[in-house]
Amino acid sequence: MPSRTVLIIDDESAIRLSIAAYLEDSGFRCLEAANGREGLEILVRESPDILVTDLRMPEIDGFSLLGLLRAQHLGTPVIVLTGTGDAQASTEALRLGARDCLFKPLNDLGMLVTAIQAILDHPEPSDSGR
């Protein structure tokens, strides 16, 4: 079975690289973007299976990215990472279509792998058949 592709969008390179290294060790293929604009370009070009994004970023933040995905009917499932610890922000992200919301720092990256696998194993009808 070919590995599933995860697009990681986070403006903090150390976090992005750490997540990518862990996910690659867990059998995923990873693509990386430093902001939502770059992430959207990669998303359209590469069609990853799932997207993991930070909420607070320059250029296009996670909220705007979720809105663009919804407006363009791009059904790629999204997991949001937020460092704000703000329940209102995570609620808003879920309302905008995120499938899950995890809080940074992720002390156990296994939680992210579990969330990714759960979403990929149980796609919603809007997840474009993935």
Side-chain angles (χ1 to χ4, degrees), residues 37-113:
R37 179 196 49 75
E38 184 180 315
L40 192 57
E41 291 170 3
I42 293 170
L43 178 71
V44 170
R45 185 177 64 240
E46 299 285 335
S47 298
D49 296 293
I50 193 164
L51 182 122
V52 176
T53 186
D54 190 13
L55 279 181
R56 312 273 185 218
M57 300 178 290
E59 297 195 44
I60 297 176
D61 67 12
F63 294 113
S64 299
L65 184 62
L66 285 165
L68 288 167
L69 292 175
R70 179 186 251 172
Q72 295 179 19
H73 305 289
L74 298 173
T76 306
V78 178
I79 295 175
V80 167
L81 302 178
T82 180
T84 65
D86 181 356
Q88 186 174 0
S90 64
T91 300
E92 179 65 8
L94 293 169
R95 187 189 70 73
L96 289 170
R99 292 281 304 276
D100 203 348
C101 186
L102 301 174
F103 293 96
K104 294 191 289 187
L106 286 173
N107 296 321
D108 178 7
L109 286 170
M111 289 175 46
L112 179 58
V113 171

